[in-house]
Amino acid sequence: MKSYFFSLLVTTLSYTLSFAQAPPANYDESRVLPYTLPDPLISRQGKKINTVKEWERKQRPYILSLFTENVYGKISGKPAGLHFKITETDTTVLDGKAVRKQVTIYFSAGDEAPSMDVLLYLPKAGHPVTVFAGLNFNGNHAIVADKAIKPSKYLKKANPQMTDREAIDAARGSAASRWPIEEIIGQGYGIATAHYYDLEPDHKEGWKEGVRTTMKEALHIATGEWSAIGAWSWGLSRIQDYLESDKDIDAKSTILIGHSRLGKTALWAGANDRRFAMVISNNSGEGGAALSRRNFGETIRNINTSFPHWFIAQYKSYNDHPEKLPVDQHSLLSLIAPRPLYVASAEEDRWADPRGEFLSAKNAAPVYALYKLKGLNVNEMPAVNHPVGETIRYHIRTGKHDVTLYDWQQYLAFARQYIKNR
Ligand code: GTR
């Protein structure tokens, strides 16, 4: 009897603890506890990695496998039967300065296959052009207010009474400030974007409708073996598959870009798919660029509680023990090497831990150094609106969690500097 009550007590306690609310977020720098980062240049056997050869052959695959097993899960390659249908080519957009293409990517053979709609804007001159590829939050029709843009089949409705038409009209162009197309086209670059819901709707049950279910047999990955971030990342690689088929595009120079959860996604996609020439993480925060071991802003427990589908189940075992993770996010950034990497924070986005993003970028530099590249070669966090660094670049801008024209202007300048002669 005694032991029964004891075990009941233990069960109740552990149940209560496992569902306990995360402690309030820490925003006090003086309360950040000391931590030690795992060294991405120490092998499984404890040996120091000194050469690019050792890094590429053994250590890089090892670090990638640690993220696969502990954080984001598996990811697959290009499926058999993948094909494209160009549904629109309009050469008159942006006063004739750009070409708009709309393309449906079918993930397997036939017109009924699961698919994703991609919206492209390309400058008319300077082909083949470099493209910024990134997923968007609210549908392609939210990028530019033009009725010719096919609306997403996933519509956000402000209230249940809203008709589809009203929802589409309300969303049209609503994300235009995050995709300053005139500026991008004016500087000679293009964009390719798709709604991330086309890959997996962003909620706990979204996997039932997304590619983790619809492509399960074709990709040979069980739904629980990968994550929503994995599914979205996989979709970015499928956009690259299309870009490689389009002769107007220099697909060897594709720049991945993502904001927030889609910034986490861009990093994971860039780590897995080395066809991407540059990666931009905009305000990606916890599970993105920010160090998990720093108890500042969002924590692993917070993110796993609000968004259990973003990562694999194993990641939950680190909820209260980031120090047990065999990696930290600087190791993810290291996987982008030797490709140029831009990490950006926003001053008011304390939830994403700007200093943790900076320190992560800084601690990725030793892997860039193997390639004789200077990474983030400063010791102190820069002042706001003062980009720093070389092959790894960093800025913290004034303002909120967002993607702004200021951010894009820095990315365009970085692209001009590092991508031009590829
Ligand atoms: C927040 C989440 C962050 C970030 C953000 C976003 O609620 O806690 O990790 O990803 O959403 O994607 O906008």
Side-chain angles (χ1 to χ4, degrees):
M1 198 60 175
K2 231 182 193 171
S3 75
Y4 169 77
F5 280 115
F6 181 71
S7 73
L8 192 71
L9 187 71
V10 170
T11 318
T12 316
L13 264 180
S14 57
Y15 183 83
T16 316
L17 281 176
S18 67
F19 284 89
Q21 283 285 309
N26 172 43
Y27 289 120
D28 179 349
E29 197 55 43
S30 72
R31 291 194 179 182
V32 173
L33 302 169
Y35 58 88
T36 309
L37 292 180
D39 184 343
L41 291 176
I42 298 290
S43 77
R44 196 196 300 252
Q45 294 78 22
K47 190 178 152 288
K48 179 84 185 161
I49 302 301
N50 293 308
T51 65
V52 167
K53 202 164 150 190
E54 290 171 305
W55 167 257
E56 297 237 344
R57 289 212 181 146
K58 286 224 161 122
Q59 187 66 358
R60 190 183 186 284
Y62 169 56
I63 302 278
L64 191 63
S65 74
L66 292 176
F67 280 102
T68 302
E69 286 156 22
N70 296 287
V71 187
Y72 307 103
K74 290 185 185 170
I75 202 157
S76 178
K78 181 176 172 176
L82 178 129
H83 62 286
F84 321 111
K85 195 178 275 176
I86 299 177
T87 56
E88 185 204 35
T89 305
D90 186 335
T91 57
T92 65
V93 296
L94 296 189
D95 300 325
K97 284 185 294 224
V99 178
R100 181 176 61 226
K101 295 187 190 182
Q102 297 192 68
V103 180
T104 303
I105 302 180
Y106 294 90
F107 301 136
S108 54
D111 279 4
E112 300 298 314
S115 65
M116 161 172 68
D117 291 323
V118 183
L119 171 70
L120 294 114
Y121 275 83
L122 305 175
K124 265 201 189 148
H127 290 188
V129 298
T130 294
V131 161
F132 286 84
L135 297 172
N136 65 69
F137 282 86
N138 291 320
N140 296 342
H141 63 295
I143 307 303
V144 182
D146 185 326
K147 292 208 158 116
I149 297 175
K150 184 177 170 190
S152 173
K153 54 179 181 281
Y154 298 97
L155 301 172
K156 261 200 188 143
K157 295 192 175 174
N159 60 63
Q161 279 76 47
M162 217 178 193
T163 63
D164 284 2
R165 177 53 49 206
E166 286 164 348
I168 292 166
D169 289 343
R172 274 205 194 285
S174 59
S177 69
R178 289 185 169 182
W179 297 88
I181 288 178
E182 302 251 358
E183 178 83 14
I184 299 166
I185 295 289
Q187 294 208 29
Y189 294 88
I191 64 148
T193 185
H195 188 203
Y196 74 139
Y197 270 56
D198 280 6
L199 297 148
E200 175 167 328
D202 188 5
H203 56 83
K204 272 184 217 168
E205 311 273 299
W207 60 271
K208 292 181 183 166
E209 270 177 84
V211 295
R212 282 199 279 156
T213 295
T214 58
M215 294 296 292
K216 191 167 147 185
E217 271 84 47
L219 299 179
H220 308 290
I221 312 182
T223 46
E225 284 179 324
W226 54 329
S227 58
I229 288 181
W232 301 329
S233 300
W234 179 83
L236 284 167
S237 289
R238 306 295 65 84
I239 294 180
Q240 175 68 359
D241 295 340
Y242 168 75
L243 298 177
E244 287 181 341
S245 77
D246 187 328
K247 61 176 180 7
D248 293 337
I249 291 163
D250 173 16
K252 288 200 169 54
S253 65
T254 306
I255 302 169
L256 267 181
I257 183 161
H259 168 62
S260 206
R261 67 198 70 185
L262 297 177
K264 309 179 209 295
T265 301
L267 289 170
W268 182 231
N272 281 287
D273 192 338
R274 299 178 85 182
R275 293 177 298 170
F276 294 114
M278 178 187 275
V279 182
I280 300 165
S281 144
N282 191 90
N283 306 180
S284 63
E286 189 72 21
L291 293 176
S292 304
R293 278 169 174 73
R294 263 175 62 86
N295 58 314
F296 191 102
E298 188 171 26
T299 62
I300 297 182
R301 176 177 278 282
N302 292 136
I303 209 165
N304 280 332
T305 306
S306 307
F307 309 103
H309 54 294
W310 285 2
F311 304 89
I312 54 167
Q314 174 65 14
Y315 195 48
K316 296 178 182 58
S317 65
Y318 305 106
N319 272 355
D320 301 310
H321 293 287
E323 77 287 356
K324 293 202 174 138
L325 254 175
V327 284
D328 208 313
Q329 298 305 110
H330 65 305
S331 303
L332 180 67
L333 302 186
S334 303
L335 294 174
I336 306 302
R339 297 162 293 165
L341 165 70
Y342 205 125
V343 174
S345 310
E347 192 180 23
E348 291 169 41
D349 186 19
R350 297 193 312 152
W351 182 240
D353 185 13
R355 183 174 293 278
E357 297 186 311
F358 167 78
L359 291 171
S360 182
K362 179 150 185 54
N363 282 288
V367 176
Y368 281 76
L370 284 185
Y371 293 90
K372 311 242 177 312
L373 293 170
K374 290 199 178 109
L376 189 54
N377 53 345
V378 295
N379 290 322
E380 296 304 322
M381 234 178 129
V384 285
N385 305 332
H386 276 86
V388 287
E390 296 203 14
T391 315
I392 304 175
R393 217 160 161 76
Y394 174 83
H395 75 240
I396 173 164
R397 73 159 159 74
T398 40
K400 292 193 174 47
H401 184 70
D402 198 2
V403 195
T404 67
L405 183 58
Y406 175 85
D407 295 319
W408 272 99
Q409 284 166 340
Q410 312 321 308
Y411 304 151
L412 287 160
F414 189 54
R416 171 135 301 114
Q417 197 181 348
Y418 283 90
I419 290 281
K420 60 184 178 214
N421 292 325
R422 288 178 60 91

